[in-house]
Amino acid sequence: MKAVIMAGGKGTRLRPLTVHTPKPMVPLLNRPCMEYTIHLLKRHGITDIAVTLQYLPDAIRSYFGDGSRFGVSLTYFEEATPLGTAGSVKNCAEFLDDRFLVISGDTLTDIDLTEAVRFHERNGALATLILTRVETPLEFGVVMTDESGRITRFLEKPSWAEVFSDTVNTGMYVFEPEVLSYIEEDREVDFSKELFPAFLDAALPLFGHIAEGYWSDIGSLDVYRQTQADMLDGRVRVEIDAREIAPRIFLENHVRIDSSVRLEGPVYIGENVHLQAGVSVGAYSVLGSHSVICAGTRLGQSILWENSYIGQRAELTGAILGRNVSVGPCVLLGEGAVIGDRCRIGAKAVVKDGVKVWPHKEIEECANVHTSLIYGTKQSKRLFGGNGIKGLANVEITPEFVTRLAAAYAYLLKPGSKIALSACAHPFAQLLKHSVMTSLCSSGIDTIDIGISIAPVNRYAVRQFHCQGGIHIHMDESAEEKQVVIQFVDQLGLPVSRDWERKIENACWQETYVRSLHHLGYLHVEHQVQETYTRELLEQIDAALIRRRGFNLLIECEPRFLPAFLAPLFGALGVTALYGAVAEGVGRHGVDLAVRLHKNGEQFELFTDTGERLTPEQLMALQLLACRGQRRQIGLPVSAPEEMEQLARRMQVEVVRTKLSPRAMMEVSPDERFHPLFDAVFSLVCILAHLSREKQPLSQLTAQLPACHMDKTTVFCPWAWKGKVMRKMLEEHKGQQLELVDGIKVYDAHGWVLILPDTEHSHVNIISQGVTAESASTLAALFARRIAEFQSR
């Protein structure tokens, strides 16, 4: 049997370590990662191996040669242009004449490949995916199988709401040669995104083998550290090519250690390493070959590649150093610091926690380095939450951060693209907007500044000026500490897709920004967007009808911008608006209704003429009624009550059940410039028109709305347990009526329950609907208890 090792990975999330090193050549315990893959194949009797190359191919060829040194035969296939996972295997077609195995050269595993091949044979499979279970499945392909092992569903890099299992694709496959006939030549084709979904659609025999054993996809610096710790702890069955001189202390040949050196296992020390007097090497440290550690230096949980030089009395804690790095005396490298190849750190310099230094940089003596060189500080890999990027003002979201964020975004756009910018009236939000503007223009992107505004107007401007996207910044002051929210929209004015969120996150993570003096972007200031928005909004409704009714409203909103923005609109509609706090009392002002407008302009709360606040379900029902005749189709989340769907049908509006994300709901009707569920001003005006038609006060109209019995609660659930909890929940309710649009929706005779892992916090959301309020509450409590029990097993 033959195998294909996919070895074309760049390892962008491992930068700066992989700037000059392809990911399969990243060392694990002083050996390239791919070497362990070759040993695994050989252990299972597979010695005839094809290797696909793309990024820095000569580094792999020069080390492994023809494979004879490792007891195997290697044949290389290089891609002139990226062909994707499936395309790269198709590129080896001339080599593959029988059943074959595909495996990644940049993962570490001891999974039993022979048992996987037996499983494939027993089931008569065309393709078998080797699966494993992981704690956090977000960065992998989640796979669901039936009792026989046949794959029933496949989700590539799901959101938490799509995590129906903790069983994921390892990127290892057993294929019959016929698989190659389904892959087009000389075209970029991906197994997970294209080929496997096509196999599912065609009902071809696609199986999943859930394997026991260790598997690590070395996709991040944290995982890179942890993988080597696992190797030192003996958690993975691999050959460690060194002497174990004491429990979990491994030394290669010709190591020189002074008698005063202190070693705390587990540690790994490569060939020709010299540890001078008084050196202390703490647990989980790995020292590459030919490194010199000078007297009095302390190392803890640090990983050094070959030819490192560490001066006297330096201190490294949790740092990673690339090849040929020189660290001067008395240097302090903080937790998580990463130093690229051939860097020089001057004496007494301090490199703070988490700082990354790209290759060939020099840090002067006594320097205090608190930001990465040269691209900026490391940011969290997951930037986006449920509705944009959110963080503490001037702590997590700073001008420096948004400058880098905008540069990363610009890197993904074509030069000369136009981006609409806006922010709320808060001075800090405006300051951030200018930082974004400067960064975009310096990256060759044209910006259209629409000034102080709200998110719906930003979305409108994107379409009005044919922009490629938009960014809106506003302050969320609902919590004790002020937070900033940054929203990105695409060329249709819709929130960017999760795919684009990942691209932006990866660009920040990789810190690959491009700026040039040859092409700078232009700044355009547009002052008439709000007037155009208001004029088109008025064309959507019967303004004369509202004028005849003559409403008096109490409006609670931010005081600096919204009153001025609303004044022309209310003037055109003959609406008298009083601005004040709803808590002062609706009755005291004698108004027809009261509105609390959220600062972002997307959501609002409504109060009747008697002062009663509408529930979210009542408000949604009223919004649906108010858009009667304006649209043929609307997206409602799976969490919306069944009564909303029935109400829409009576109005001859088609309902499409969607995920809870704003984009999912809005893209059902992408051509609409105003969305009733995400444009508070438009929705309010439509409700005024509806009240005018019905000739009833809001309190009477509310009493006629359908009754919905809902309950919502949250259950604490660590991130590492979410995938397992969802799998157990799915297994427990197998055979019942389920809906898997977003999370797991379970139906029974008393109603339904939606179990939805939170995307931003360590808990699971539970939303239920019952025939009575009591049954809704009982359902939510029952499922909350089960989720807690799953975690205690």
Side-chain angles (χ1 to χ4, degrees):
M1 185 173 177
K2 296 180 179 179
V4 177
I5 296 178
M6 293 188 289
K10 292 183 178 181
T12 49
R13 289 181 292 163
L14 292 175
R15 290 183 178 179
L17 298 176
T18 51
V19 171
H20 300 309
T21 301
K23 190 179 175 187
M25 293 300 295
V26 168
L28 300 174
L29 301 191
N30 207 34
R31 299 283 184 277
C33 178
M34 185 173 140
E35 189 170 328
Y36 295 99
T37 302
I38 290 174
H39 286 316
L40 177 67
L41 292 171
K42 183 182 175 184
R43 191 158 68 236
H44 289 276
I46 303 174
T47 58
D48 204 358
I49 303 168
V51 182
T52 67
L53 304 175
Q54 202 269 317
Y55 178 66
L56 300 177
D58 290 340
I60 296 174
R61 277 201 195 94
S62 61
Y63 182 87
F64 290 104
D66 63 4
S68 57
R69 184 161 59 98
F70 304 93
V72 298
S73 173
L74 300 180
T75 304
Y76 297 98
F77 294 88
E78 186 174 343
E79 302 167 36
T81 58
L83 295 174
T85 53
S88 65
V89 173
K90 177 72 171 184
N91 197 41
C92 308
E94 64 187 61
F95 176 84
L96 303 169
D97 51 10
D98 202 347
R99 178 181 298 143
F100 62 96
L101 186 139
V102 173
I103 190 169
S104 176
D106 51 23
T107 58
L108 183 71
T109 184
D110 60 9
I111 282 173
D112 189 339
L113 302 179
T114 301
E115 177 55 33
V117 174
R118 290 196 192 106
F119 174 91
H120 177 86
E121 291 176 343
R122 285 196 303 269
N123 287 283
L126 173 66
T128 295
L129 283 63
I130 300 178
L131 312 176
T132 191
R133 287 183 172 139
V134 298
E135 291 182 343
T136 306
L138 292 185
E139 292 303 316
F140 309 106
V142 171
V143 180
M144 295 169 61
T145 62
D146 62 18
E147 292 177 354
S148 69
R150 192 164 189 134
I151 292 174
T152 59
R153 190 164 186 180
F154 190 93
L155 286 169
E156 180 67 11
K157 294 184 179 177
S159 66
W160 270 118
E162 296 171 311
V163 173
F164 307 121
S165 175
D166 58 356
T167 306
V168 303
N169 178 14
T170 64
M172 295 187 286
Y173 315 117
V174 183
F175 287 145
E176 294 301 310
E178 290 79 13
V179 164
L180 298 173
S181 65
Y182 293 92
I183 307 171
E184 292 184 40
E185 289 188 14
D186 301 322
R187 190 177 79 81
E188 188 170 353
V189 184
D190 186 85
F191 281 127
S192 300
K193 294 179 181 178
E194 298 168 77
L195 199 66
F196 295 152
F199 283 5
L200 279 180
D201 291 342
L204 295 174
L206 180 65
F207 283 78
H209 169 62
I210 303 176
E212 300 295 330
Y214 183 92
W215 177 79
S216 176
D217 172 48
I218 306 163
S220 70
L221 293 166
D222 288 339
V223 175
Y224 176 63
R225 290 189 188 93
Q226 185 60 50
T227 299
Q228 293 184 86
D230 292 342
M231 296 172 77
L232 289 171
D233 282 337
R235 293 184 58 199
V236 52
R237 190 163 67 95
V238 293
E239 298 175 13
I240 296 181
D241 191 14
R243 293 175 294 126
E244 189 173 4
I245 64 167
R248 314 312 294 174
I249 295 180
F250 299 95
L251 268 64
E252 293 186 17
N253 297 326
H254 311 301
V255 175
R256 296 162 56 197
I257 303 179
D258 188 87
S259 59
S260 62
V261 168
R262 178 174 175 270
L263 300 179
E264 179 188 354
V267 298
Y268 188 98
I269 300 175
E271 188 176 38
N272 288 318
V273 169
H274 184 192
L275 304 180
Q276 296 181 0
V279 166
S280 173
V281 181
Y284 300 106
S285 292
V286 179
L287 310 185
S289 299
H290 309 291
S291 295
V292 176
I293 317 299
C294 294
T297 285
R298 295 164 57 90
L299 304 176
Q301 298 183 346
S302 293
I303 299 170
L304 280 57
W305 290 11
E306 60 187 0
N307 295 320
S308 296
Y309 177 88
I310 314 297
Q312 295 181 357
R313 298 184 302 282
E315 187 166 342
L316 284 67
T317 305
I320 304 178
L321 276 61
R323 294 183 180 85
N324 303 299
V325 172
S326 175
V327 175
C330 302
V331 165
L332 177 63
L333 298 185
E335 179 76 34
V338 183
I339 312 298
D341 297 346
R342 298 186 180 277
C343 285
R344 299 290 179 267
I345 315 292
K348 299 181 182 179
V350 176
V351 179
K352 295 290 189 179
D353 294 356
V355 167
K356 293 189 286 186
V357 181
W358 251 239
H360 303 287
K361 301 293 181 292
E362 184 168 345
I363 296 175
E364 296 180 353
E365 292 186 8
C366 302
N368 193 326
V369 184
H370 54 83
T371 59
S372 296
L373 294 179
I374 184 168
Y375 298 98
T377 56
K378 168 187 170 183
Q379 299 297 330
S380 171
K381 190 173 74 172
R382 184 71 188 263
L383 296 177
F384 285 84
N387 192 22
I389 297 172
K390 188 174 185 178
L392 293 176
N394 228 6
V395 177
E396 296 169 327
I397 306 292
T398 63
E400 296 84 3
F401 167 74
V402 298
T403 298
R404 294 189 298 273
L405 177 67
Y409 180 48
Y411 175 75
L412 302 170
L413 300 170
K414 294 179 180 178
S417 296
K418 289 190 296 186
I419 299 298
L421 300 179
S422 60
C424 71
H426 194 283
F428 187 67
Q430 288 292 312
L431 185 151
L432 294 178
K433 184 190 71 174
H434 284 284
S435 296
V436 170
M437 185 188 310
T438 302
S439 186
L440 290 176
C441 287
S442 67
S443 301
I445 304 301
D446 294 345
T447 60
I448 297 178
D449 181 10
I450 63 174
I452 298 173
S453 195
I454 53 179
V457 176
N458 179 277
R459 295 198 297 264
Y460 176 86
V462 167
R463 299 180 62 137
Q464 181 73 11
F465 298 109
H466 307 290
C467 297
Q468 280 66 52
I471 299 174
H472 177 72
I473 303 170
H474 78 276
M475 303 292 292
D476 181 0
E477 301 177 20
S478 56
E480 288 186 16
E481 297 180 278
K482 293 182 179 180
Q483 295 195 321
V484 180
V485 180
I486 306 172
Q487 294 172 287
F488 287 78
V489 299
D490 63 15
Q491 71 275 9
L492 294 176
L494 302 177
V496 292
S497 65
R498 180 60 191 135
D499 185 51
W500 260 90
E501 288 178 352
R502 284 196 182 96
K503 288 179 180 179
I504 295 169
E505 288 168 346
N506 287 337
C508 284
W509 180 256
Q510 296 163 21
E511 299 178 346
T512 48
Y513 315 139
V514 175
R515 291 194 175 102
S516 171
L517 284 174
H518 299 295
H519 184 87
L520 298 176
Y522 294 97
L523 169 64
H524 308 270
V525 179
E526 292 289 346
H527 300 287
Q528 306 300 319
V529 179
Q530 290 157 21
E531 289 83 350
T532 308
Y533 166 89
T534 300
R535 186 166 57 250
E536 189 167 341
L537 187 154
L538 288 170
E539 293 172 359
Q540 302 285 318
I541 49 96
D542 190 342
L545 183 66
I546 298 175
R547 280 196 296 270
R548 288 196 296 272
R549 174 65 173 80
F551 285 97
N552 292 311
L553 305 185
L554 173 62
I555 309 289
E556 181 179 325
C557 62
E558 71 86 27
R560 285 168 285 195
F561 164 71
L562 282 173
F565 170 66
L566 294 171
L569 176 64
F570 286 160
L573 296 173
V575 172
T576 301
L578 302 174
Y579 294 92
V582 173
E584 294 175 1
V586 175
R588 187 166 73 87
H589 294 284
V591 294
D592 298 299
L593 63 153
V595 184
R596 182 179 287 137
L597 280 173
H598 294 191
K599 177 176 287 189
N600 200 28
E602 291 186 312
Q603 306 297 332
F604 67 106
E605 299 164 60
L606 205 57
F607 300 80
T608 70
D609 47 297
T610 58
E612 295 178 4
R613 178 180 175 273
L614 272 65
T615 66
E617 292 76 32
Q618 288 174 323
L619 180 56
M620 181 181 287
L622 192 58
Q623 289 171 310
L624 287 174
L625 288 169
C627 68
R628 183 198 302 267
Q630 292 185 357
R631 56 188 62 227
R632 296 185 299 273
Q633 193 177 60
I634 192 166
L636 290 181
V638 290
S639 59
E642 302 297 323
E643 289 81 2
M644 299 300 107
E645 194 164 342
Q646 296 166 10
L647 183 65
R649 284 201 201 102
R650 289 202 299 269
M651 299 188 303
Q652 297 183 328
V653 175
E654 179 189 357
V655 168
V656 177
R657 288 291 190 166
T658 72
K659 299 177 182 179
L660 273 69
S661 71
R663 178 183 175 89
M665 286 182 267
M666 294 168 70
E667 67 182 352
V668 170
S669 48
D671 296 330
E672 300 287 348
R673 296 206 175 195
F674 307 96
H675 197 288
L677 300 183
F678 295 97
D679 188 329
V681 175
F682 172 69
S683 186
L684 174 61
V685 171
C686 289
I687 288 172
L688 294 180
H690 181 67
L691 289 171
S692 301
R693 285 192 299 269
E694 296 297 319
K695 299 179 181 178
Q696 295 182 62
L698 181 58
S699 56
Q700 290 184 17
L701 195 59
T702 302
Q704 301 167 21
L705 296 174
C708 305
H709 303 294
M710 307 288 294
D711 194 279
K712 298 179 183 179
T713 188
T714 60
V715 181
F716 173 76
C717 183
W719 292 98
W721 273 85
K722 287 183 178 180
K724 187 175 294 185
V725 162
M726 295 298 279
R727 173 172 58 85
K728 287 181 175 291
M729 187 64 69
L730 205 58
E731 291 171 353
E732 185 169 278
H733 295 279
K734 186 176 181 180
Q736 288 184 240
Q737 183 184 354
L738 301 177
E739 196 171 277
L740 303 179
V741 174
D742 207 12
I744 301 173
K745 192 173 184 179
V746 183
Y747 290 86
D748 74 2
H750 302 288
W752 55 260
V753 177
L754 178 65
I755 304 101
L756 195 69
D758 195 273
T759 59
E760 300 179 42
H761 304 101
S762 54
H763 62 244
V764 173
N765 300 305
I766 300 173
I767 304 170
S768 64
Q769 181 177 13
V771 293
T772 65
E774 183 180 0
S775 63
S777 177
T778 301
L779 278 171
L782 172 64
F783 278 78
R785 187 165 59 251
R786 292 299 293 146
I787 289 172
E789 290 170 356
F790 288 152
Q791 298 175 57
S792 63
R793 292 179 181 176

